[in-house]
Amino acid sequence: MDDEAAIEAAHARISPVPREARPFQGQRAGIVTRLVAATLDGLVIGAVLLCGYLGLVGLIFLLNPRSFTWPELGVVFSLAAAFAVAFVYFTVFWTLSGRTYGYLVMGLRVLGIGGRRLRLIGAALRAAFVVIVPIGIVWIPFSRNNKSLQDLVLGTRVVYDWEPRPVRPKPFEAVTEDDAEAS
């Protein structure tokens, strides 16, 4: 029995999943966790937009410093830029790892049908849906499975997942004598 306890203790030290969070690993995330993650993602998107604006200001200043004035971007342009940045941000990160910065901090991951990682088209559809209908997250408390409107329509789910996903190495290809002679 002492050996089993020692093995369990060693496993507990090695596991990236916090001890308190282990019962929730793989469970669907609730509205509070997802709202906190969405807030963090909103801050990231806002920081990217601010950096873009300051870059534009710097470029305008460098091109014509004597008659420099702060550019006044219209509401339509600002909203279009915000939607574009959010769409690209969500699509890229959901495709690559299934998590944005907010999801990483909160220990969440977006999964597609069958529990697989989202592919580019699925991530882009979900990103477009989230950007166009952000209020869809409000459906979570009314759903038995903690699904947002986006999850219901696209068949995705957001789960608690603290496990890092290792990169799969490419399969080893044996070099034959014919290949060696050709090179």
PDB file of all heavy atoms in Angstrom, residues 50-71:
ATOM      1  N   LEU A  50      -4.992  49.048 -29.789  1.00  0.00           N
ATOM      2  CA  LEU A  50      -4.269  50.227 -29.321  1.00  0.00           C
ATOM      3  C   LEU A  50      -2.879  50.299 -29.950  1.00  0.00           C
ATOM      4  O   LEU A  50      -2.454  51.366 -30.408  1.00  0.00           O
ATOM      5  CB  LEU A  50      -4.165  50.214 -27.790  1.00  0.00           C
ATOM      6  CG  LEU A  50      -3.397  51.386 -27.173  1.00  0.00           C
ATOM      7  CD1 LEU A  50      -4.109  52.702 -27.469  1.00  0.00           C
ATOM      8  CD2 LEU A  50      -3.249  51.175 -25.675  1.00  0.00           C
ATOM      9  N   CYS A  51      -2.192  49.177 -30.018  1.00  0.00           N
ATOM     10  CA  CYS A  51      -0.861  49.144 -30.653  1.00  0.00           C
ATOM     11  C   CYS A  51      -0.973  49.491 -32.137  1.00  0.00           C
ATOM     12  O   CYS A  51      -0.115  50.210 -32.675  1.00  0.00           O
ATOM     13  CB  CYS A  51      -0.202  47.781 -30.471  1.00  0.00           C
ATOM     14  SG  CYS A  51       0.324  47.471 -28.786  1.00  0.00           S
ATOM     15  N   GLY A  52      -2.000  49.002 -32.802  1.00  0.00           N
ATOM     16  CA  GLY A  52      -2.213  49.340 -34.207  1.00  0.00           C
ATOM     17  C   GLY A  52      -2.460  50.823 -34.403  1.00  0.00           C
ATOM     18  O   GLY A  52      -1.917  51.440 -35.331  1.00  0.00           O
ATOM     19  N   TYR A  53      -3.267  51.400 -33.528  1.00  0.00           N
ATOM     20  CA  TYR A  53      -3.549  52.835 -33.624  1.00  0.00           C
ATOM     21  C   TYR A  53      -2.291  53.655 -33.375  1.00  0.00           C
ATOM     22  O   TYR A  53      -1.992  54.596 -34.102  1.00  0.00           O
ATOM     23  CB  TYR A  53      -4.652  53.229 -32.636  1.00  0.00           C
ATOM     24  CG  TYR A  53      -4.962  54.704 -32.646  1.00  0.00           C
ATOM     25  CD1 TYR A  53      -5.674  55.271 -33.705  1.00  0.00           C
ATOM     26  CD2 TYR A  53      -4.541  55.537 -31.621  1.00  0.00           C
ATOM     27  CE1 TYR A  53      -5.952  56.629 -33.731  1.00  0.00           C
ATOM     28  CE2 TYR A  53      -4.813  56.888 -31.638  1.00  0.00           C
ATOM     29  CZ  TYR A  53      -5.518  57.431 -32.693  1.00  0.00           C
ATOM     30  OH  TYR A  53      -5.791  58.775 -32.720  1.00  0.00           O
ATOM     31  N   LEU A  54      -1.533  53.285 -32.344  1.00  0.00           N
ATOM     32  CA  LEU A  54      -0.295  54.011 -32.049  1.00  0.00           C
ATOM     33  C   LEU A  54       0.727  53.846 -33.172  1.00  0.00           C
ATOM     34  O   LEU A  54       1.487  54.770 -33.474  1.00  0.00           O
ATOM     35  CB  LEU A  54       0.285  53.555 -30.711  1.00  0.00           C
ATOM     36  CG  LEU A  54      -0.551  53.919 -29.483  1.00  0.00           C
ATOM     37  CD1 LEU A  54       0.079  53.342 -28.224  1.00  0.00           C
ATOM     38  CD2 LEU A  54      -0.741  55.423 -29.372  1.00  0.00           C
ATOM     39  N   GLY A  55       0.742  52.686 -33.814  1.00  0.00           N
ATOM     40  CA  GLY A  55       1.616  52.496 -34.975  1.00  0.00           C
ATOM     41  C   GLY A  55       1.211  53.401 -36.124  1.00  0.00           C
ATOM     42  O   GLY A  55       2.065  53.985 -36.803  1.00  0.00           O
ATOM     43  N   LEU A  56      -0.092  53.524 -36.353  1.00  0.00           N
ATOM     44  CA  LEU A  56      -0.591  54.424 -37.392  1.00  0.00           C
ATOM     45  C   LEU A  56      -0.228  55.869 -37.069  1.00  0.00           C
ATOM     46  O   LEU A  56       0.215  56.617 -37.945  1.00  0.00           O
ATOM     47  CB  LEU A  56      -2.107  54.271 -37.539  1.00  0.00           C
ATOM     48  CG  LEU A  56      -2.795  55.212 -38.523  1.00  0.00           C
ATOM     49  CD1 LEU A  56      -2.334  54.902 -39.951  1.00  0.00           C
ATOM     50  CD2 LEU A  56      -4.294  55.101 -38.396  1.00  0.00           C
ATOM     51  N   VAL A  57      -0.384  56.262 -35.824  1.00  0.00           N
ATOM     52  CA  VAL A  57      -0.034  57.621 -35.401  1.00  0.00           C
ATOM     53  C   VAL A  57       1.453  57.871 -35.629  1.00  0.00           C
ATOM     54  O   VAL A  57       1.850  58.922 -36.148  1.00  0.00           O
ATOM     55  CB  VAL A  57      -0.414  57.837 -33.915  1.00  0.00           C
ATOM     56  CG1 VAL A  57       0.214  59.103 -33.359  1.00  0.00           C
ATOM     57  CG2 VAL A  57      -1.917  57.880 -33.756  1.00  0.00           C
ATOM     58  N   GLY A  58       2.279  56.895 -35.269  1.00  0.00           N
ATOM     59  CA  GLY A  58       3.720  57.050 -35.470  1.00  0.00           C
ATOM     60  C   GLY A  58       4.085  57.166 -36.933  1.00  0.00           C
ATOM     61  O   GLY A  58       4.948  57.983 -37.300  1.00  0.00           O
ATOM     62  N   LEU A  59       3.438  56.385 -37.783  1.00  0.00           N
ATOM     63  CA  LEU A  59       3.700  56.444 -39.216  1.00  0.00           C
ATOM     64  C   LEU A  59       3.301  57.807 -39.783  1.00  0.00           C
ATOM     65  O   LEU A  59       4.055  58.415 -40.560  1.00  0.00           O
ATOM     66  CB  LEU A  59       2.942  55.331 -39.937  1.00  0.00           C
ATOM     67  CG  LEU A  59       3.132  55.263 -41.443  1.00  0.00           C
ATOM     68  CD1 LEU A  59       4.577  54.913 -41.781  1.00  0.00           C
ATOM     69  CD2 LEU A  59       2.176  54.250 -42.044  1.00  0.00           C
ATOM     70  N   ILE A  60       2.149  58.299 -39.395  1.00  0.00           N
ATOM     71  CA  ILE A  60       1.694  59.616 -39.862  1.00  0.00           C
ATOM     72  C   ILE A  60       2.660  60.701 -39.391  1.00  0.00           C
ATOM     73  O   ILE A  60       3.009  61.618 -40.152  1.00  0.00           O
ATOM     74  CB  ILE A  60       0.254  59.898 -39.388  1.00  0.00           C
ATOM     75  CG1 ILE A  60      -0.719  58.968 -40.112  1.00  0.00           C
ATOM     76  CG2 ILE A  60      -0.128  61.359 -39.613  1.00  0.00           C
ATOM     77  CD1 ILE A  60      -2.125  59.026 -39.574  1.00  0.00           C
ATOM     78  N   PHE A  61       3.125  60.581 -38.159  1.00  0.00           N
ATOM     79  CA  PHE A  61       4.071  61.569 -37.626  1.00  0.00           C
ATOM     80  C   PHE A  61       5.400  61.527 -38.388  1.00  0.00           C
ATOM     81  O   PHE A  61       5.978  62.571 -38.695  1.00  0.00           O
ATOM     82  CB  PHE A  61       4.308  61.334 -36.138  1.00  0.00           C
ATOM     83  CG  PHE A  61       5.276  62.300 -35.528  1.00  0.00           C
ATOM     84  CD1 PHE A  61       4.882  63.603 -35.252  1.00  0.00           C
ATOM     85  CD2 PHE A  61       6.580  61.923 -35.244  1.00  0.00           C
ATOM     86  CE1 PHE A  61       5.781  64.511 -34.703  1.00  0.00           C
ATOM     87  CE2 PHE A  61       7.475  62.821 -34.699  1.00  0.00           C
ATOM     88  CZ  PHE A  61       7.076  64.119 -34.425  1.00  0.00           C
ATOM     89  N   LEU A  62       5.876  60.324 -38.703  1.00  0.00           N
ATOM     90  CA  LEU A  62       7.140  60.208 -39.435  1.00  0.00           C
ATOM     91  C   LEU A  62       7.037  60.757 -40.857  1.00  0.00           C
ATOM     92  O   LEU A  62       7.993  61.335 -41.381  1.00  0.00           O
ATOM     93  CB  LEU A  62       7.588  58.750 -39.489  1.00  0.00           C
ATOM     94  CG  LEU A  62       8.155  58.170 -38.202  1.00  0.00           C
ATOM     95  CD1 LEU A  62       8.443  56.686 -38.361  1.00  0.00           C
ATOM     96  CD2 LEU A  62       9.421  58.911 -37.790  1.00  0.00           C
ATOM     97  N   LEU A  63       5.891  60.569 -41.495  1.00  0.00           N
ATOM     98  CA  LEU A  63       5.725  61.035 -42.859  1.00  0.00           C
ATOM     99  C   LEU A  63       5.594  62.553 -42.959  1.00  0.00           C
ATOM    100  O   LEU A  63       6.070  63.152 -43.927  1.00  0.00           O
ATOM    101  CB  LEU A  63       4.509  60.359 -43.503  1.00  0.00           C
ATOM    102  CG  LEU A  63       4.633  58.849 -43.725  1.00  0.00           C
ATOM    103  CD1 LEU A  63       3.329  58.284 -44.269  1.00  0.00           C
ATOM    104  CD2 LEU A  63       5.787  58.540 -44.674  1.00  0.00           C
ATOM    105  N   ASN A  64       4.951  63.176 -41.973  1.00  0.00           N
ATOM    106  CA  ASN A  64       4.736  64.620 -42.035  1.00  0.00           C
ATOM    107  C   ASN A  64       4.688  65.204 -40.628  1.00  0.00           C
ATOM    108  O   ASN A  64       3.604  65.507 -40.112  1.00  0.00           O
ATOM    109  CB  ASN A  64       3.450  64.923 -42.809  1.00  0.00           C
ATOM    110  CG  ASN A  64       3.382  66.350 -43.268  1.00  0.00           C
ATOM    111  OD1 ASN A  64       4.248  67.159 -42.951  1.00  0.00           O
ATOM    112  ND2 ASN A  64       2.334  66.666 -44.012  1.00  0.00           N
ATOM    113  N   PRO A  65       5.849  65.379 -39.992  1.00  0.00           N
ATOM    114  CA  PRO A  65       5.841  65.830 -38.590  1.00  0.00           C
ATOM    115  C   PRO A  65       5.391  67.276 -38.392  1.00  0.00           C
ATOM    116  O   PRO A  65       4.861  67.614 -37.335  1.00  0.00           O
ATOM    117  CB  PRO A  65       7.294  65.651 -38.151  1.00  0.00           C
ATOM    118  CG  PRO A  65       8.097  65.572 -39.393  1.00  0.00           C
ATOM    119  CD  PRO A  65       7.181  65.094 -40.472  1.00  0.00           C
ATOM    120  N   ARG A  66       5.559  68.123 -39.373  1.00  0.00           N
ATOM    121  CA  ARG A  66       5.214  69.542 -39.180  1.00  0.00           C
ATOM    122  C   ARG A  66       3.712  69.779 -39.113  1.00  0.00           C
ATOM    123  O   ARG A  66       3.256  70.652 -38.380  1.00  0.00           O
ATOM    124  CB  ARG A  66       5.805  70.381 -40.298  1.00  0.00           C
ATOM    125  CG  ARG A  66       7.290  70.503 -40.165  1.00  0.00           C
ATOM    126  CD  ARG A  66       7.837  71.465 -41.157  1.00  0.00           C
ATOM    127  NE  ARG A  66       9.278  71.561 -40.963  1.00  0.00           N
ATOM    128  CZ  ARG A  66      10.023  72.436 -41.537  1.00  0.00           C
ATOM    129  NH1 ARG A  66       9.483  73.307 -42.365  1.00  0.00           N
ATOM    130  NH2 ARG A  66      11.312  72.454 -41.308  1.00  0.00           N
ATOM    131  N   SER A  67       2.964  69.042 -39.884  1.00  0.00           N
ATOM    132  CA  SER A  67       1.509  69.247 -39.865  1.00  0.00           C
ATOM    133  C   SER A  67       0.788  68.059 -39.209  1.00  0.00           C
ATOM    134  O   SER A  67      -0.326  67.723 -39.591  1.00  0.00           O
ATOM    135  CB  SER A  67       0.995  69.459 -41.293  1.00  0.00           C
ATOM    136  OG  SER A  67       1.229  68.291 -42.050  1.00  0.00           O
ATOM    137  N   PHE A  68       1.420  67.469 -38.217  1.00  0.00           N
ATOM    138  CA  PHE A  68       0.851  66.293 -37.550  1.00  0.00           C
ATOM    139  C   PHE A  68      -0.394  66.652 -36.744  1.00  0.00           C
ATOM    140  O   PHE A  68      -0.416  67.636 -36.004  1.00  0.00           O
ATOM    141  CB  PHE A  68       1.877  65.642 -36.619  1.00  0.00           C
ATOM    142  CG  PHE A  68       1.302  64.545 -35.781  1.00  0.00           C
ATOM    143  CD1 PHE A  68       1.046  63.299 -36.318  1.00  0.00           C
ATOM    144  CD2 PHE A  68       0.978  64.754 -34.439  1.00  0.00           C
ATOM    145  CE1 PHE A  68       0.509  62.285 -35.564  1.00  0.00           C
ATOM    146  CE2 PHE A  68       0.445  63.738 -33.672  1.00  0.00           C
ATOM    147  CZ  PHE A  68       0.205  62.512 -34.237  1.00  0.00           C
ATOM    148  N   THR A  69      -1.429  65.859 -36.917  1.00  0.00           N
ATOM    149  CA  THR A  69      -2.618  65.902 -36.061  1.00  0.00           C
ATOM    150  C   THR A  69      -3.015  64.461 -35.779  1.00  0.00           C
ATOM    151  O   THR A  69      -2.784  63.569 -36.593  1.00  0.00           O
ATOM    152  CB  THR A  69      -3.810  66.621 -36.740  1.00  0.00           C
ATOM    153  OG1 THR A  69      -4.113  65.952 -37.955  1.00  0.00           O
ATOM    154  CG2 THR A  69      -3.493  68.088 -37.004  1.00  0.00           C
ATOM    155  N   TRP A  70      -3.604  64.250 -34.642  1.00  0.00           N
ATOM    156  CA  TRP A  70      -4.049  62.906 -34.279  1.00  0.00           C
ATOM    157  C   TRP A  70      -5.160  62.478 -35.229  1.00  0.00           C
ATOM    158  O   TRP A  70      -6.128  63.219 -35.413  1.00  0.00           O
ATOM    159  CB  TRP A  70      -4.551  62.876 -32.838  1.00  0.00           C
ATOM    160  CG  TRP A  70      -3.434  63.000 -31.844  1.00  0.00           C
ATOM    161  CD1 TRP A  70      -2.916  64.154 -31.346  1.00  0.00           C
ATOM    162  CD2 TRP A  70      -2.706  61.936 -31.271  1.00  0.00           C
ATOM    163  NE1 TRP A  70      -1.894  63.876 -30.486  1.00  0.00           N
ATOM    164  CE2 TRP A  70      -1.742  62.507 -30.409  1.00  0.00           C
ATOM    165  CE3 TRP A  70      -2.759  60.554 -31.389  1.00  0.00           C
ATOM    166  CZ2 TRP A  70      -0.854  61.752 -29.681  1.00  0.00           C
ATOM    167  CZ3 TRP A  70      -1.864  59.800 -30.649  1.00  0.00           C
ATOM    168  CH2 TRP A  70      -0.922  60.392 -29.815  1.00  0.00           C
ATOM    169  N   PRO A  71      -5.035  61.296 -35.814  1.00  0.00           N
ATOM    170  CA  PRO A  71      -6.090  60.855 -36.738  1.00  0.00           C
ATOM    171  C   PRO A  71      -7.378  60.528 -35.983  1.00  0.00           C
ATOM    172  O   PRO A  71      -7.347  59.955 -34.898  1.00  0.00           O
ATOM    173  CB  PRO A  71      -5.505  59.602 -37.386  1.00  0.00           C
ATOM    174  CG  PRO A  71      -4.432  59.139 -36.478  1.00  0.00           C
ATOM    175  CD  PRO A  71      -3.942  60.336 -35.726  1.00  0.00           C
TER     176      PRO A  71
END
